[in-house]
Amino acid sequence: MSNLKLVELPVVEPEAVPCCPPVTSAALSEGDSVRMAAMFKALADPVRLRLFSRVASHEGGEACVCDIQDVGVSQPTVSHHLKKLREAGLLTSERRGTWVYYRVAPEALAAMAGLLSAAR
Amino acid sequence: MSNLKLVELPVVEPEAVPCCPPVTSAALSEGDSVRMAAMFKALADPVRLRLFSRVASHEGGEACVCDIQDVGVSQPTVSHHLKKLREAGLLTSERRGTWVYYRVAPEALAAMAGLLSAAR
């Protein structure tokens, strides 16, 4: 097709973040714990966590499946894991031509890091 | 008993941490991804995450089951979750008299926060 369009795939709503004060400074609310636990669950699988780090550290801050196929699992499995990370709000995605490109959602990363940072 | 002893319960070995550079700066190794995914898995349950935050934010940085019973689950369930957090290396524990007191393992918290911090 000559008329190339940028298509944003659905992501978790922005109001899911920002969250929350450091765990060392305040107890999590029930609602926030559900949201944050879902994010940590997305990182609770070694292959998914590696893929997340591959996207995060890739040149330009984005990667397509074509860039990160060498983690020892099949391309459909890579795609499945990337989809899970996107559904959890940890990655955003954008289709450009043949490939879908993934980026870390900075506000999700900040929410997790902030929660786990030690309050001084 | 008049002869009160401090008994350290087993925890994950110290060499499990420190780990790792920020995800935005380098891809995780396979070994590190297994270790870190296990930590995130411990936080992937809303009740467990709330309990973790309750311990972390409790006065003096430590709490016993007696301090954190009001999260809507039974005391045996609280104890079960605290055990899981301890086994994952996120909490340390110490028996004093009747109760076991839990604290956040600062190096585990630092490892997770460091991994999720955005490299500049």
Side-chain angles (χ1 to χ4, degrees), chain A residues 23-30 33-34 36-37 40-41 43-46 49-50 52-54 56-57 109 112-113 116, chain B residues 23-30 33-34 36-37 40-41 43-46 49-50 52-54 56-57 109 112-113 116:
Chain A
V23 283
T24 48
S25 70
L28 263 185
S29 73
E30 197 168 344
S33 71
V34 170
M36 296 307 300
F40 291 126
K41 190 168 187 178
L43 300 183
D45 176 272
L49 182 56
R50 279 184 78 201
F52 181 70
S53 82
R54 293 292 295 275
S57 62
L109 194 63
M112 291 187 290
L116 298 174
Chain B
V23 283
T24 48
S25 69
L28 263 184
S29 73
E30 197 168 343
S33 71
V34 170
M36 296 306 299
F40 291 126
K41 191 169 187 177
L43 300 182
D45 176 274
L49 182 56
R50 279 184 79 201
F52 181 70
S53 81
R54 294 292 296 274
S57 61
L109 194 63
M112 292 187 289
L116 297 175

Side-chain angles (χ1 to χ4, degrees), chain B residues 19-87:
Chain B
C19 171
C20 313
V23 283
T24 48
S25 69
L28 263 184
S29 73
E30 197 168 343
D32 287 343
S33 71
V34 170
R35 286 157 45 188
M36 296 306 299
M39 290 193 198
F40 291 126
K41 191 169 187 177
L43 300 182
D45 176 274
V47 173
R48 206 153 55 223
L49 182 56
R50 279 184 79 201
L51 289 170
F52 181 70
S53 81
R54 294 292 296 274
V55 171
S57 61
H58 201 262
E59 199 183 332
E62 68 174 12
C64 66
V65 175
C66 56
D67 292 321
I68 48 179
Q69 284 178 18
D70 55 339
V71 290
V73 295
S74 69
Q75 184 175 315
T77 301
V78 170
S79 293
H80 168 79
H81 281 312
L82 291 173
K83 185 174 172 227
K84 289 281 182 189
L85 286 164
R86 186 168 53 79
E87 288 171 350

Side-chain angles (χ1 to χ4, degrees), chain A residues 1 3 15 19 38 40 53 61 68-69 75 81 83 87 110:
Chain A
M1 297 201 304
N3 190 11
E15 67 261 27
C19 171
F40 291 126
S53 82
I68 49 179
Q69 285 178 17
Q75 184 176 315
H81 282 310
K83 186 174 171 226
E87 288 171 350

Side-chain angles (χ1 to χ4, degrees), chain A residues 19-112:
Chain A
C19 171
C20 312
V23 283
T24 48
S25 70
L28 263 185
S29 73
E30 197 168 344
D32 287 343
S33 71
V34 170
R35 285 156 47 188
M36 296 307 300
M39 290 193 197
F40 291 126
K41 190 168 187 178
L43 300 183
D45 176 272
V47 172
R48 207 152 56 225
L49 182 56
R50 279 184 78 201
L51 288 170
F52 181 70
S53 82
R54 293 292 295 275
V55 171
S57 62
H58 201 262
E59 199 183 331
E62 68 174 12
C64 67
V65 175
C66 56
D67 291 322
I68 49 179
Q69 285 178 17
D70 54 340
V71 290
V73 295
S74 69
Q75 184 176 315
T77 301
V78 170
S79 293
H80 168 79
H81 282 310
L82 291 174
K83 186 174 171 226
K84 290 280 182 190
L85 287 164
R86 186 169 53 78
E87 288 171 350
L90 271 56
L91 296 180
T92 59
S93 62
E94 187 185 311
R95 181 176 288 282
R96 293 205 297 273
T98 308
W99 298 104
V100 177
Y101 288 82
Y102 294 88
R103 288 189 164 268
V104 167
E107 64 281 12
L109 194 63
M112 291 187 290

